Amino acid sequence: MSAGADAVDSIEEPLSGRAADSRSGFGVHRALIASSVVLLAFVAVAALAPYSLVDPAQIDPLVRLRPPSMETPFGTDHLGRSVLSRTISGARVSLAVGAGVMMATSVIGVAVGIICGYFRRVDGILMRVMDAVMAAPAILLAIALMALSGPSIGNLVIAITLPEVPRMARVVRASVLSLRGRTFVEAAITAGCSAPTILLRHILPGAVGPMMVQATYVFASAMIIEAVLSFLGAGTPPATPSWGNMMAEGRQYLQRAPWILAFPGGALTIIVLAVNLLGDALRDRFDPRLMRTAISGGKMRAR
Amino acid sequence: MKPNAMLFAAAALAFSLSPVGAESVLKIRPFGDLKQIDPIVTSDYMVRNHGYMVYDTLFAMDEKLEIKPQMVESYEISADNMTYTFRLRDGLKFHNGAAVVANDVVASLKRWGKKDGLGQTLIAKTAKLEAVDDKTVRLVLAEPWGLVLDALGKPSSNVPFIMPASIAATPADQSITDPVGSGPFIMKKDEWVPGAKIVYVRNPNYTPRADAPSGLAGAKIAKVDRVEWHYIPDAQTALNALQAGEIDILEEIPPDLLPVIRSVKDIKIVRQDSLGAQAVFRMNTIQPPFNNQKIRQAVSYMINQKTFLSAYIDDPAQITECPSFYMCASPYKTDAGWPKPDMAKAKQLIAESGYDGTPVVILHAQESGPTNTFSLVAAQVMREIGLKVDAQAMDWGTLVGRRASKAPTSQGGWSLFISAPTGADMMEPVGHLALRSNCDKAWFGWPCDETIEKLRAEFAVTVDIEKRKKLAEQIQLRAVETVPYWPIGQISLMRAQSARVDGVLNAAIPVYWNISKK
Amino acid sequence: MIGFAAKRIAATAPVLVLVAVFVFLLLRLAPGDPAAIIAGEQATPEQILAIRQKLGLDAPLLSQFASWIGQLALGDLGQSIFSGLPVSELIAQRLQPTLMLAMATIIFAVLIAIPLGVIAAKRAGSLIDRMTMAGAVLGFSTPVFVIAFLLVYIFALSFRLFPTQGYVPLEQGVLASLHSLVLPALALSWTYIALIARVTRAAVLDVLQEDYVRTAHAKGLSEARIMSRHVLKNAAAPVITVIGIGLAALLGGVVVTETVFSIPGLGRLTADAILRRDYPVVQALILLFSVVYVLANLIVDLSYGLVDPRVRA
């Protein structure tokens, strides 16, 4: 379900290039702005949260399960905690996990991808390892890692990152492979530039586009996996107000107090939607031709 | 061979007469999953409830909390109260067809006496436990003890269930694997899907008592052909299933769902057991931080029963603040020495305790209603008094496994779990699950206190009720000081049942005989 | 074609070995001593040592790995720490619901997604197209349990059309069994539908712009004939591929779906086993899921070769 988001780009991009051409540039632009605004709004709310709100952990048995009202805009949960405060704190957790996983995946994925794409000798071994990691379903792997390492946000980021790395590595490797054959890179090699210089000056900038697109999908996917893991009881520690924890608790009250589940669920859907749309828009903005050759080249070789 | 063949013929006839699909099936959503089938090795209530399906007991507690003979036809107590002679009823048979004989009883009681608290005491006080003939068991005490029948008719874990001697020969620290008993139902082990489904069928060879059923005593008549336990961990899902008629009885409804259920017609809400439960804040007294008595005392000031209870249940009829280690329904209930909740005092005690910041590892079972809510509240108030908290999410089965670990918290050990043992285990000092302070042999948490043990031993041999009350009070005063655990309050558990179901007994334990389906 | 197949199969073998190594290491490097867990509540250090020896946990990692692989080869997946039952028996008990759920999901997904994708591509830019694509993005932006709850609320509780939970085994009637699978399969196929519809649309769009399709149009061939002869055939490869890739998401989703619908399948077994740290069961199941995934993708690769001769080169 969540891995679906990443699976899409690695297969769809080579195909949708031309379809995207037909879309108006204005449409892409608009989608880019709209999704960025939504995302920034969430970030702003999450950043301002600690300054203005009731403590999301504050238990008040006297106001349990209150429906949304003027005093309690999102209602209260089964312990009388403010659902609004918790949803906002949950945004912090979700964004932190999403951003953490995105950065960790990008750093590791780019490193592995560049090494594989440029130094062909290690490519075979490293890519087989990546294939093996990819073969285990991401959610199972993440639950297993969480069960072994114990619930904490740091562990959560590691547990979600590990299964995400191979896809990132593949995307980057594919762009490196296609760039490596380009004339200007050949020229640099002939001119005797050192490998680090070529990689940093000539190859990395070219790989940034596909990498960014993949990174947005990783971001979206990480937030969903966080929710799923917490829902299954293997995610953020139970007292942490994360959206997954709220939904896991809220499912007991689906009939009596649907707002406990609805607000975090809605928030999660909106933000993931925004990030996915952002990814689509970014993909359409970057040179489709490059994306096409880069990724399909990687695809054929990797399989 | 011949009786077997006849039986087979009879069964075949019965089968051919009843049209396919006419088999009556009672579908239960139990409160937890059955992890294993040995009710002696573990005190897990699911295993205990399983025990009541497949095993029978010598004595049983009736609706009025009196101990009545069950497998026993008649019994005699010698004039000096030292010799008990039990005669078994006629027609008692194990599921494999073998008759229940006195040797089976002796072997079962001996195995039980190695694990159960009350059982340990009984065996320690026994000079001789023997089979006189196939039908007669004799128990000779080494010293006077007033609780023999209470021990044999103990309603809750560990229950002295009677098993075949060959199975009871299994070492007491090793789980049995064969669920053969002599109870009203037979477990279909081939249909058992651990983690999902447990199936029982009517025991056609069961001979019930003649007297009317009352609590756990009296006639145990299986009125349905099959009882299926469907483990549905999620309460909302289970409630959906009950509303849709997919299950008939739903155990341990989360109280917050009660208003929803009340609005559904054709579903009745009844008390799950007659005594209710006492929620306990159980600390590991052999590992930091709760090996520090001052910190445990801080907990006794920290816990405000009202705060905890009302976080779980709105309905005041279902909760009781009870300032006592004993159930408020118990004759020994006393508020002697009971501290008033006082957060400032709790903070002060933590400051004086020399607390070094070792986190409190909570075994936080999320799918168990009271445990989940109380663990969340506990984490919050512990932080408020300055304790560090590490709440580890898990399911109840994991909790049961983890709490047995005596290791430091950094090596898979624990500091705190919250549970709600049945009131039957909290009535008086000797059988009290959580007050027992006999170190290694005590309930998980292993409190160790000679004074409490001496007083408990004295209580056991005391007959006079006033003297007993005095002793119970002294035990409480001492326990307020040593804090082996702290009560969070009393709750009544509720069970929802479809209107099609009839004959549910008001017993200390949820049992499934005597129930029929329209 | 045979050479191509042999090459693909040969390339799969090292991945499988690596998966095995990976699963093995994952659990051996975990904190906590399985022997202590098996030994139970009141074990002495001697008993734990004895169990460790019996299980071979004191041997060097390499020889432990060798004996584990050896056992695997003999079909011995070990014993559950928790219930003491052989892992193979646990898996056998729970195989049917998961297989049925997975098949129903794939069938649902294909039946719904491919027509949607084709229509969206044919009418690119139209309202239907936009709705489908928006729905697709929404599809994988929503956690499967949220969808599951919505479905239960609407179709099981309000309209009473389907059971709220549980699985009826095939032995108790095929229809009843399928009936019990409708909601879980729908919930689980949601993401899958999104994925396949998007790819189908893109693939069909791509093919529609190829010269031979234009030629076919110019020749005046009927729309239906063009679609079946040229478009669908040439768009099939990426669609088949994405079905294979999506399988990983599906296997992960099974865990959640089975939990929400209380289906006694492999997914719930896995989640329970992981949360209980029942290492042998976890090991066997992750290995099983991974092998299924790798093999499914091998089959996809091979069928890719069948429909698209260019790949065989």
Side-chain angles (χ1 to χ4, degrees):
Chain A
M1 113 201 52
S2 41
D6 338 84
V8 164
D9 78 300
S10 54
I11 174 90
E12 194 190 2
E13 259 149 340
L15 306 155
S16 62
R18 258 187 257 174
D21 288 349
S22 61
R23 266 191 230 170
S24 74
F26 181 66
V28 170
H29 198 58
R30 205 167 45 182
L32 199 64
I33 289 178
S35 46
S36 304
V37 166
V38 172
L39 193 58
L40 284 176
F42 270 97
V43 173
V45 170
L48 293 174
Y51 301 106
S52 60
L53 276 162
V54 219
D55 179 359
Q58 185 59 52
I59 290 166
D60 186 353
L62 298 176
V63 293
R64 305 176 63 240
L65 302 171
R66 292 288 154 86
S69 67
M70 286 305 283
E71 304 99 73
T72 53
F74 284 13
T76 61
D77 71 0
H78 58 297
L79 296 175
R81 299 174 297 192
S82 156
V83 174
L84 176 62
S85 286
R86 293 180 72 72
T87 306
I88 291 172
S89 305
R92 292 165 73 82
V93 176
S94 272
L95 288 169
V97 170
V101 172
M102 180 178 75
M103 284 190 285
T105 308
S106 303
V107 170
I108 305 172
V110 166
V112 174
I114 285 186
I115 292 170
C116 285
Y118 197 79
F119 303 102
R120 309 291 297 140
R121 238 168 289 165
V122 290
D123 185 33
I125 303 166
L126 263 179
M127 283 324 279
R128 285 293 93 75
V129 174
M130 293 288 124
D131 283 352
V133 176
M134 226 166 121
I139 288 189
L140 287 187
L141 205 53
I143 308 176
L145 289 169
M146 284 309 287
L148 298 177
S149 56
S152 82
I153 297 205
N155 288 342
L156 191 61
V157 168
I158 298 172
I160 304 177
T161 298
L162 189 64
E164 296 282 352
V165 163
R167 281 182 204 95
M168 177 63 89
R170 278 188 171 194
V171 168
V172 173
R173 172 180 172 275
S175 344
V176 173
L177 279 179
S178 85
L179 288 164
R180 207 170 170 265
R182 293 285 186 88
T183 335
F184 62 94
V185 178
E186 300 271 345
I189 296 174
T190 326
C193 292
S194 68
T197 314
I198 297 170
L199 283 174
L200 282 177
R201 279 271 182 83
H202 304 289
I203 291 192
L204 198 54
V208 161
M211 187 203 97
M212 274 180 64
V213 173
Q214 179 66 19
T216 55
Y217 293 133
V218 168
F219 190 90
S221 160
M223 286 190 291
I224 291 201
I225 296 188
E226 185 279 324
V228 168
L229 290 183
S230 301
F231 181 80
L232 292 173
T236 37
T240 310
S242 84
W243 288 340
N245 281 340
M246 292 177 74
M247 285 189 269
E249 287 167 7
R251 72 174 154 162
Q252 300 295 343
Y253 304 93
L254 195 61
Q255 267 178 299
R256 181 158 176 210
W259 53 89
I260 304 178
L261 195 141
F263 285 106
L268 179 66
T269 303
I270 291 171
I271 192 167
V272 173
L273 191 62
V275 175
N276 272 333
L277 289 173
L278 183 70
D280 286 0
L282 278 178
R283 188 196 54 205
D284 292 344
R285 265 206 86 138
F286 284 113
D287 178 4
R289 210 156 294 272
L290 173 66
M291 305 278 286
R292 181 187 167 109
T293 46
I295 293 169
S296 55
K299 186 102 215 133
M300 287 306 160
R301 246 171 275 245
R303 311 213 102 237
Chain B
M1 191 62 219
K2 209 167 189 182
N4 266 348
M6 268 172 65
L7 198 72
F8 182 76
L13 187 67
F15 191 77
S16 62
L17 285 180
S18 62
V20 182
E23 189 181 53
S24 53
V25 184
L26 185 66
K27 291 185 178 168
I28 314 289
R29 180 270 194 178
F31 69 88
D33 180 25
L34 186 70
K35 312 296 187 201
Q36 56 138 315
I37 54 169
D38 189 334
I40 304 304
V41 158
T42 175
S43 57
D44 184 347
Y45 286 166
M46 274 305 296
V47 184
R48 175 198 69 191
N49 295 0
H50 156 81
Y52 273 104
M53 297 297 283
V54 298
Y55 301 111
D56 215 345
T57 54
L58 292 181
F59 289 85
M61 189 186 262
D62 73 1
E63 211 169 341
K64 294 180 199 120
L65 310 186
E66 284 165 17
I67 305 290
K68 291 282 160 67
Q70 177 55 252
M71 291 168 84
V72 167
E73 178 72 56
S74 60
Y75 64 100
E76 276 164 39
I77 306 174
S78 66
D80 61 355
N81 285 329
M82 295 291 274
T83 305
Y84 289 69
T85 313
F86 308 108
R87 203 170 156 73
L88 296 176
R89 281 196 283 135
D90 285 333
L92 297 177
K93 272 192 192 135
F94 286 113
H95 302 154
N96 57 15
V100 179
V101 294
N103 267 333
D104 299 314
V105 174
V106 171
S108 300
L109 292 184
K110 282 189 172 157
R111 184 164 189 266
W112 164 75
K114 292 202 179 88
K115 296 297 279 192
D116 180 64
L118 214 47
Q120 287 165 11
T121 318
L122 174 65
I123 297 298
K125 303 223 179 269
T126 297
K128 216 157 57 174
L129 174 61
E130 58 179 4
V132 180
D133 57 44
D134 271 1
K135 292 247 154 185
T136 317
V137 177
R138 186 187 297 140
L139 176 100
V140 184
L141 291 176
E143 52 180 299
W145 195 53
L147 298 170
V148 173
L149 296 187
D150 301 71
L152 296 178
K154 192 176 186 255
S156 188
S157 296
N158 302 74
V159 182
F161 292 120
I162 303 305
M163 313 170 171
S166 57
I167 296 176
T170 314
D173 52 6
Q174 195 181 318
S175 292
I176 62 167
T177 52
D178 185 352
V180 163
S182 63
F185 291 96
I186 301 171
M187 180 190 190
K188 295 277 284 177
K189 216 184 161 196
D190 55 329
E191 290 189 50
W192 180 26
V193 182
K197 188 166 111 175
I198 306 119
V199 177
Y200 303 93
V201 292
R202 182 212 309 265
N203 173 7
N205 295 327
Y206 186 75
T207 315
R209 295 187 69 86
D211 29 350
S214 163
L216 300 169
K220 297 180 175 178
I221 301 171
K223 293 190 175 166
V224 288
D225 299 315
R226 249 169 105 89
V227 175
E228 293 179 4
W229 289 3
H230 291 269
Y231 178 49
I232 306 171
D234 182 37
Q236 177 70 49
T237 310
L239 176 57
N240 296 345
L242 181 69
Q243 279 174 261
E246 292 156 24
I247 54 172
D248 304 305
I249 294 180
L250 169 55
E251 284 184 1
E252 237 181 84
I253 320 161
D256 286 325
L257 290 182
L258 288 174
V260 177
I261 301 178
R262 288 206 178 95
S263 66
V264 181
K265 72 176 171 67
D266 296 340
I267 292 180
K268 277 195 298 186
I269 299 170
V270 290
R271 291 185 74 158
Q272 182 160 314
D273 54 58
S274 47
L275 283 173
Q278 185 188 72
V280 299
F281 187 103
R282 182 66 169 186
M283 293 162 279
N284 183 349
T285 61
I286 61 171
Q287 292 295 345
F290 287 134
N291 62 350
N292 182 332
Q293 186 165 314
K294 267 251 160 70
I295 299 183
R296 297 205 301 274
Q297 286 169 352
V299 164
S300 72
Y301 285 96
M302 174 194 84
I303 292 179
N304 182 339
Q305 293 196 347
K306 193 180 167 72
T307 311
F308 273 81
L309 291 173
S310 54
Y312 182 49
I313 303 182
D314 303 314
D315 182 1
Q318 261 178 274
I319 50 179
T320 315
E321 286 174 61
C322 186
S324 173
F325 289 116
Y326 313 109
M327 295 301 281
C328 273
S330 154
Y332 303 110
K333 184 241 158 178
T334 164
D335 59 3
W338 206 258
K340 281 228 152 39
D342 183 348
M343 290 298 272
K345 173 86 178 169
K347 273 182 214 165
Q348 186 200 331
L349 280 166
I350 295 288
E352 289 168 7
S353 69
Y355 175 56
D356 63 355
T358 313
V360 174
V361 171
I362 308 181
L363 301 181
H364 183 162
Q366 288 179 298
E367 94 280 24
S368 158
T371 301
N372 184 40
T373 306
F374 294 147
S375 298
L376 285 166
V377 179
Q380 173 75 3
V381 288
M382 282 195 291
R383 285 195 187 99
E384 279 174 33
I385 64 165
L387 290 169
K388 273 202 186 153
V389 177
D390 175 9
Q392 302 190 356
M394 58 190 68
D395 68 352
W396 180 255
T398 310
L399 187 154
V400 170
R402 282 277 300 277
R403 71 180 178 182
S405 164
K406 293 181 177 169
T409 51
S410 54
Q411 292 163 33
W414 57 279
S415 320
L416 166 68
F417 70 86
I418 286 170
S419 175
T422 168
D425 286 337
M426 304 291 187
M427 295 297 279
E428 43 73 34
V430 173
H432 202 294
L433 183 66
L435 274 181
R436 199 149 41 97
S437 298
N438 49 351
C439 315
D440 276 359
K441 286 182 172 167
W443 197 40
F444 311 103
W446 311 282
C448 204
D449 185 66
E450 269 181 43
T451 316
I452 290 183
E453 284 310 289
K454 246 179 64 205
L455 290 167
R456 283 180 62 232
E458 209 181 322
F459 183 96
V461 293
T462 306
V463 184
D464 181 67
I465 182 79
E466 287 313 314
K467 276 190 195 149
R468 278 185 163 192
K469 281 186 180 169
K470 194 75 208 147
L471 283 166
E473 189 180 309
Q474 279 175 287
I475 291 171
Q476 169 150 325
L477 285 170
R478 176 66 185 163
V480 164
E481 215 174 301
T482 65
V483 202
Y485 85 107
W486 204 257
I488 288 172
Q490 285 177 209
I491 49 182
S492 326
L493 299 172
M494 294 297 184
R495 155 164 84 171
Q497 61 194 50
S498 143
R500 288 169 301 170
V501 166
D502 190 40
V504 177
L505 292 166
N506 178 25
I509 310 291
V511 289
Y512 292 104
W513 57 80
N514 199 49
I515 300 179
S516 56
K517 242 176 109 172
K518 270 175 262 175
Chain C
M1 182 65 207
I2 292 170
F4 166 76
K7 242 166 76 186
R8 280 283 155 276
I9 293 167
T12 303
V15 174
L16 284 179
V17 172
L18 276 167
V19 167
V21 173
F22 189 69
V23 170
F24 176 80
L25 284 181
L26 188 70
L27 294 168
R28 290 307 136 131
L29 300 179
D33 181 356
I37 300 174
I38 297 172
E41 303 182 4
Q42 274 129 8
T44 61
E46 292 79 43
Q47 284 172 320
I48 296 178
L49 194 70
I51 292 178
R52 196 173 295 142
Q53 280 166 351
K54 197 178 125 207
L55 296 178
L57 290 171
D58 54 346
L61 266 187
L62 205 63
S63 73
Q64 280 189 46
F65 182 69
S67 72
W68 182 59
I69 292 286
Q71 282 177 335
L72 279 183
L74 295 172
D76 178 5
L77 296 172
Q79 256 192 356
S80 157
I81 293 175
F82 220 86
S83 61
L85 297 170
V87 176
S88 46
E89 192 178 306
L90 288 176
I91 291 180
Q93 269 179 344
R94 288 163 174 262
L95 195 58
Q96 194 202 65
T98 303
L99 270 183
M100 291 291 291
L101 176 61
M103 282 195 311
T105 303
I106 294 176
I107 292 170
F108 260 138
V110 167
L111 285 184
I112 298 173
I114 292 183
L116 267 182
V118 171
I119 294 169
K122 288 278 294 175
R123 312 219 189 296
S126 73
L127 189 66
I128 296 180
D129 178 31
R130 278 162 198 272
M131 296 278 284
T132 307
M133 287 306 106
V137 184
L138 195 64
F140 40 69
S141 301
T142 319
V144 72
F145 54 86
V146 172
I147 295 164
F149 285 137
L150 280 174
L151 289 174
V152 168
Y153 199 79
I154 298 169
F155 294 106
L157 283 179
S158 302
F159 294 109
R160 299 277 168 102
L161 290 175
F162 301 101
T164 58
Q165 54 85 42
Y167 168 73
V168 179
L170 277 177
E171 298 83 7
Q172 291 176 25
V174 177
L175 275 182
S177 181
L178 293 178
H179 188 231
S180 72
L181 279 172
V182 172
L183 290 188
L186 260 184
L188 185 52
S189 59
W190 207 263
T191 327
Y192 222 35
I193 292 174
L195 191 63
I196 299 174
R198 260 175 83 129
V199 172
T200 306
R201 173 183 178 274
V204 170
L205 261 183
D206 239 27
V207 177
L208 283 177
Q209 282 160 6
E210 294 285 352
D211 294 337
Y212 55 83
V213 177
R214 295 190 191 160
T215 317
H217 273 291
K219 282 200 320 206
L221 287 180
S222 78
E223 192 71 354
R225 204 177 155 86
I226 296 174
M227 279 317 267
S228 61
R229 268 287 173 83
H230 298 287
V231 178
L232 288 183
K233 193 165 174 241
N234 282 296
V239 176
I240 294 173
T241 309
V242 85
I243 293 174
I245 289 177
L247 204 68
L250 181 109
L251 293 176
V254 160
V255 178
V256 182
T257 314
E258 290 187 353
T259 304
V260 172
F261 288 97
S262 233
I263 295 172
L266 292 177
R268 217 176 114 195
L269 181 66
T270 316
D272 289 350
I274 290 174
L275 294 177
R276 287 170 190 164
R277 288 158 184 79
D278 196 341
Y279 296 137
V281 180
V282 176
Q283 221 167 24
L285 283 165
I286 295 191
L287 191 67
L288 178 72
F289 278 128
S290 306
V291 168
V292 167
Y293 176 69
V294 170
L295 291 183
N297 276 294
L298 176 69
I299 294 169
V300 163
D301 269 8
L302 295 180
S303 61
Y304 206 100
L306 274 181
V307 294
D308 188 353
R310 284 169 296 178
V311 183
R312 283 179 225 158

